[in-house]
Amino acid sequence: MATTPYDVLAAELFQRECHVKQPLRVVLLFEKLADLKATPVVVACLFLIGWYKNRFNGKQEVMIGYSNSGKDARKLSTTWALYKDQEELIKVAKQYGIKLTMFHGRGDTIGREGGPTHLAILSQPPNTIHSSLRVTIPRKRRLF
């Protein structure tokens, strides 16, 4: 999970120190309510770092979590925080010229069996889906 820019930079440093020839992309994950509120500042700090911005060719993937935020706060406050977070993330990305892909993990109490996926996509804030979106869909659990 990303709480500060250092969490993300640590993943990058780890890859460098291990001499990874083709570094893996780092997907930012914000789950807890406090992390969601800090997301625009964390992302802006990262986009101010030239090599970081260039590393992804002006593209960034951000996963906003439903799992821990759903445990951290009530359903309504979590849903609202996720909605507002997406709006703010898009503003920051636009300011820095970054193409942002939102990654939604729908495998928790809020998203699990919560209705058709297409309705979840349609309910996203305006202008937050720009030709790309990632969604995890939970598999139905079998009891036997």
Side-chain angles (χ1 to χ4, degrees), residues 33 69-70 73-84 110:
L33 195 57
S69 59
R74 300 276 185 192
K75 186 175 180 177
L76 180 61
S77 60
T78 297
T79 303
W80 182 245
L82 291 166
Y83 189 94
K84 296 304 288 178
I110 290 177

Side-chain angles (χ1 to χ4, degrees), residues 47-100:
F47 293 163
L48 284 171
I49 302 169
W51 67 263
Y52 181 86
K53 186 176 173 182
N54 293 333
R55 160 110 158 72
F56 298 102
N57 297 321
K59 298 175 185 174
Q60 179 66 66
E61 193 171 339
V62 176
M63 182 174 193
I64 53 174
Y66 294 71
S67 179
N68 285 339
S69 59
K71 296 171 192 165
D72 192 32
R74 300 276 185 192
K75 186 175 180 177
L76 180 61
S77 60
T78 297
T79 303
W80 182 245
L82 291 166
Y83 189 94
K84 296 304 288 178
D85 187 48
Q86 290 176 80
E87 290 181 327
E88 293 302 315
L89 278 170
I90 291 299
K91 287 179 191 174
V92 172
K94 193 174 194 179
Q95 178 183 351
Y96 289 94
I98 301 292
K99 181 183 180 216
L100 194 66

